[in-house]
């Protein structure tokens, strides 16, 4: 998160630094780019809290410049969506509680763990970008975050390169 400059990297909504973390808020969709191009295969772990809102948190990810979004719903029977694959779990995002999402991006698809529990696996050939029309970033090769109709606090983002090497998108 130290790479993020909310004045330069915000795509929509209101974003600001809060200590070592980020706060994003919007009625509608707030998005911010992280100036980092991940490796071809990588793990990304995000610690976040939905402080207010009933919609969803978005993790903008990419594989080789092909974007996809992991959508984490905020209501009961939380929906996790990755491409055309979705899963429901019986609990929701608890306001003010920090949750952890771990996404593993591989050649054949992606998998998601939420608060240490496996949630879904998505198999794909990466030919078709999996981003809702209204939710794209300016640069599809970057990581990003979003919140729809709410307020999001992000404590940390960590990436681990497995194949290739990630790099900053600007000095």
């Amino acid at each position: 998160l130290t790479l993020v400059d909310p004045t330069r990297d915000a795509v929509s909504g209101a974003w600001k630094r809060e200590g070592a973390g980020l706060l994003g808020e919007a009625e509608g969709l707030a998005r911010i780019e992280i100036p980092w191009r991940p490796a071809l295969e990588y793990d990304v772990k995000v610690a976040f809290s939905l402080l207010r809102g009933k919609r969803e948190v978005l993790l903008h990810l990419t594989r080789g410049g092909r974007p996809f979004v992991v959508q984490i719903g905020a209501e009961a029977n939380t929906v996790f969506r990755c491409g055309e694959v979705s899963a429901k779990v019986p609990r929701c995002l608890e306001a003010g509680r920090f949750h952890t999402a771990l996404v593993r991006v591989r050649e054949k698809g992606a998998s998601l763990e939420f608060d240490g529990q496996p949630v879904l696996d998505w198999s794909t050939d990466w030919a078709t970008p999996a981003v809702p029309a209204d939710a794209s970033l300016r640069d599809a090769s970057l990581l990003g975050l979003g919140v729809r109709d709410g307020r999001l606090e992000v404590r940390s983002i960590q990436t681990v390169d497995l194949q290739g090497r990630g790099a900053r998108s600007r000095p």
Side-chain angles (χ1 to χ4, degrees):
L1 290 178
T2 58
L3 301 176
V4 177
D5 176 352
T7 61
R8 293 174 71 180
D9 299 321
V11 176
S12 63
W15 291 90
K16 67 179 182 177
R17 286 218 161 274
E18 185 76 21
L22 282 176
L23 281 178
E25 184 169 22
E27 298 301 322
L29 184 60
R31 293 166 290 159
I32 193 163
E33 293 178 333
I34 299 166
W36 183 259
R37 286 190 179 91
L40 196 55
E41 291 191 0
Y42 61 98
D43 292 348
V44 61
K45 186 176 186 179
V46 183
F48 66 92
S49 177
L50 187 61
L51 301 176
R52 178 183 60 74
K54 296 282 186 195
R55 293 294 302 274
E56 63 193 4
V57 173
L58 302 131
L59 308 179
H60 290 265
L61 306 172
T62 185
R63 184 176 189 281
R66 293 197 168 108
F68 67 102
V69 174
V70 175
Q71 298 168 276
I72 303 172
E75 296 181 354
N77 292 322
T78 298
V79 174
F80 297 88
R81 186 176 319 278
C82 190
E84 296 302 313
V85 176
S86 64
K88 289 187 177 186
V89 295
R91 71 167 198 262
C92 61
L93 298 175
E94 298 171 36
R97 178 177 180 256
F98 275 88
H99 298 277
T100 302
L102 172 63
V103 182
R104 293 181 170 91
V105 179
R106 302 294 187 267
E107 179 182 357
K108 302 283 185 193
S111 65
L112 169 67
E113 286 183 15
F114 184 73
D115 288 342
Q117 300 297 313
V119 175
L120 65 81
D121 288 304
W122 179 45
S123 296
T124 182
D125 63 3
W126 301 106
T128 305
V131 179
D134 68 339
S136 63
L137 298 177
R138 293 178 296 227
D139 185 337
S141 70
L142 299 178
L143 299 178
L145 301 164
V147 62
R148 189 181 305 272
D149 294 329
R151 183 177 179 146
L152 174 69
E153 180 179 356
V154 182
R155 181 183 290 166
S156 67
I157 298 176
Q158 302 167 327
T159 61
V160 176
D161 296 343
L162 298 173
Q163 179 186 358
R165 187 173 184 147
R168 292 177 182 216
S169 65
R170 64 173 185 252

